[in-house]
Amino acid sequence: MPSSEDIEKLKKLKKKLEDELEEVRRREEELREYIKVLEDIISATRFIPAEELIEEAKPSEKTKEVVEKPPLRREIFFRWKGKIYAWIEIYEDRVRIEVDKGFKLPIEDRLVRYLRREMDKYFEEDLIKIENKLLDPSMQFMYLFDEDEGFLTLIEIKDFGIEERRRDLLKKILWVFRTHAKETLST
C-alpha cells in the first residue's frame, strides 16, 4: 500500500501532467492560428492567369462589386543616373512599388532577402499582437514580392497606413535599390 507521501507525489505528478497537456493544447491552437495566417497569405499570393483576373475584375450583374480606389499618390520612387527604375503608388492601407524589369534586381538576391527578413519582423510582431488580442486579424501587416524571369517587379506592403512602419520600410527599400544600383548599374 502506497504511503501518504507517495500519494502526494502521485497527485503532484498528475497535476503536472494535466498542466502540460493543457499547455500542449494551447500551443496546438496557437500553431493552427499561425498555419491559417500562412495559408491566407499563400492563397493571396497564388498565381492567377491574367485572363482570370480580368474576368474577376468585371462587375457582375448580380452584385455591385466595390471598385478599387485609385492611389492617393503615384510618383517616381527611384531614379538612377536619370533613368526611372521604380514608381510608388500610395493608398490609405497599402503601398505598391513597381520595379522596372530593366533594373535587374534578382528576386533571390541578398538585398531582397534582407527586405524579406525586415518585413517578416513586422509580420511576426502582428502575429503576436493578434494572439494577445491587441490587433484585429484583418489589420495584420502583409507583404508581397512579385517577379518576372527571376527579377523583382513589384513590392506591395499592406500596412493600413501606419506611418512609422511605412517610413521605415520605404527607407530600407530605397537603401536596397541604391546599393543594387551602385553595385550593378555604375559600370
Side-chain angles (χ1 to χ4, degrees), residues 24-185:
V24 167
R25 285 185 185 131
R26 188 195 62 73
R27 182 69 178 141
E28 177 188 19
E29 184 178 313
E30 182 180 272
L31 291 172
R32 289 191 189 282
E33 286 179 26
Y34 290 153
I35 289 169
K36 184 186 180 317
V37 169
L38 292 172
E39 285 173 346
D40 291 346
I41 291 168
I42 290 167
S43 67
T45 58
R46 68 181 174 85
F47 175 77
I48 301 172
E51 289 136 57
E52 285 182 37
L53 285 176
I54 291 168
E55 283 301 312
E56 288 175 12
K58 290 180 183 174
S60 69
E61 292 179 18
K62 294 178 185 174
T63 62
K64 299 282 186 188
E65 292 187 26
V66 177
V67 177
E68 184 177 315
K69 292 181 182 179
L72 300 172
R73 283 190 346 245
R74 178 176 166 83
E75 56 193 47
I76 296 169
F77 182 69
F78 182 73
R79 178 188 330 240
W80 186 258
K81 295 188 177 182
K83 182 162 174 24
I84 298 169
Y85 285 105
W87 287 88
I88 186 168
E89 291 179 346
I90 299 173
Y91 297 82
E92 289 179 10
D93 63 343
R94 62 193 165 95
V95 173
R96 285 177 53 96
I97 299 171
E98 296 171 18
V99 182
D100 186 279
K101 200 169 135 185
F103 191 50
K104 296 193 178 198
L105 176 56
I107 195 78
E108 295 302 323
D109 189 87
R110 66 178 170 51
L111 295 168
V112 177
R113 287 194 308 266
Y114 161 76
L115 283 178
R116 286 181 195 272
R117 282 192 308 272
E118 292 301 308
M119 291 184 191
D120 283 344
K121 289 177 189 176
Y122 285 125
F123 179 79
E124 289 168 10
E125 282 177 17
D126 279 6
L127 281 180
I128 292 168
K129 288 178 185 174
I130 289 168
E131 180 183 326
N132 293 321
K133 311 265 188 259
L134 299 172
L135 181 68
D136 186 283
S138 66
M139 299 289 285
Q140 181 175 7
F141 172 83
M142 290 188 211
Y143 67 92
L144 166 75
F145 287 86
D146 202 0
E147 55 91 21
D148 186 12
E149 295 179 11
F151 296 111
L152 181 68
T153 57
L154 174 75
I155 300 172
E156 187 164 347
I157 304 165
K158 188 175 174 188
D159 65 357
F160 299 96
I162 300 171
E163 280 303 312
E164 181 181 334
R165 182 180 284 179
R166 189 174 279 187
R167 276 192 306 273
D168 177 57
L169 288 173
L170 292 178
K171 282 185 215 172
K172 289 174 180 171
I173 293 167
L174 269 175
W175 176 85
V176 163
F177 286 2
R178 281 189 200 109
T179 303
H180 177 70
K182 286 177 190 173
E183 291 175 354
T184 61
L185 301 178

